[in-house]
Amino acid sequence: MRGFLAVLLCLAAPLFPATFGTVVAPAGGAAYSDLALDESRSNLYLVSSSANRIDIYSLKQRGYLAPVSTDSQPIAEALSNDRRFLYVTTYANAIVDVIDLNLNQIVSRISLPSNPEGIAVGGDGKVLVSAVAQTGVTGNTLLIYDPASAGSLT
């Protein structure tokens, strides 16, 4: 009978739920629109659109570090290939904020012809920005920013 109970418990074990990791409540109940993991620094960068900032969560310290302020209404972010810069699209100002992660501050602002939404960094280091098409204007909705060529925007 004991053997039967042991086998039954072993078979039923996968039915019991489990939580792995640590659940952490966002600062002030914030909601995030995007996140990026920087494994080299063990930081998680969280876009807080309502607070106009990037919250930084340290995986090593298991807590929040000082946030980085951005321009109005940040939407999305992407890490540079060398993990030195964080590119953040800010919808209301039609700007990409470039944050130097060694300094944790904005070091450059790239003006865009229309409001940006998504952002990604390619293997060549160029930054692809998707933007909202302006009503009545024929223009690009995909823009490429090349940090290697003096920050040109095409």
Side-chain angles (χ1 to χ4, degrees), residues 29-145:
Y32 299 111
S33 62
D34 199 5
L35 59 86
L37 175 63
D38 182 354
E39 292 180 90
S40 64
R41 289 183 176 84
S42 295
N43 286 340
L44 187 63
Y45 301 100
L46 304 148
V47 177
S48 178
S49 294
S50 59
N52 297 324
R53 69 181 187 211
I54 302 298
D55 287 335
I56 305 170
Y57 182 80
S58 171
L59 300 173
K60 285 182 182 175
Q61 297 175 19
R62 293 186 178 193
Y64 286 92
L65 305 176
V68 178
S69 295
T70 64
D71 285 290
S72 287
Q73 203 177 353
I75 299 292
E77 65 186 348
L79 284 165
S80 64
N81 293 336
D82 63 3
R83 304 290 194 242
R84 179 169 177 202
F85 298 104
L86 184 67
Y87 300 100
V88 181
T89 59
T90 59
Y91 187 85
N93 298 97
I95 289 176
V96 172
D97 287 333
V98 181
I99 298 172
D100 185 324
L101 295 176
N102 293 330
L103 305 173
N104 277 348
Q105 67 183 25
I106 296 173
V107 293
S108 179
R109 287 180 170 88
I110 305 155
S111 293
L112 302 172
S114 60
N115 303 85
E117 291 181 323
I119 191 164
V121 177
D124 59 359
K126 293 179 182 176
V127 181
L128 177 68
V129 179
S130 65
V132 176
Q134 295 177 342
T135 306
V137 177
T138 303
N140 293 333
T141 55
L142 291 177
L143 306 164
I144 297 174
Y145 168 70

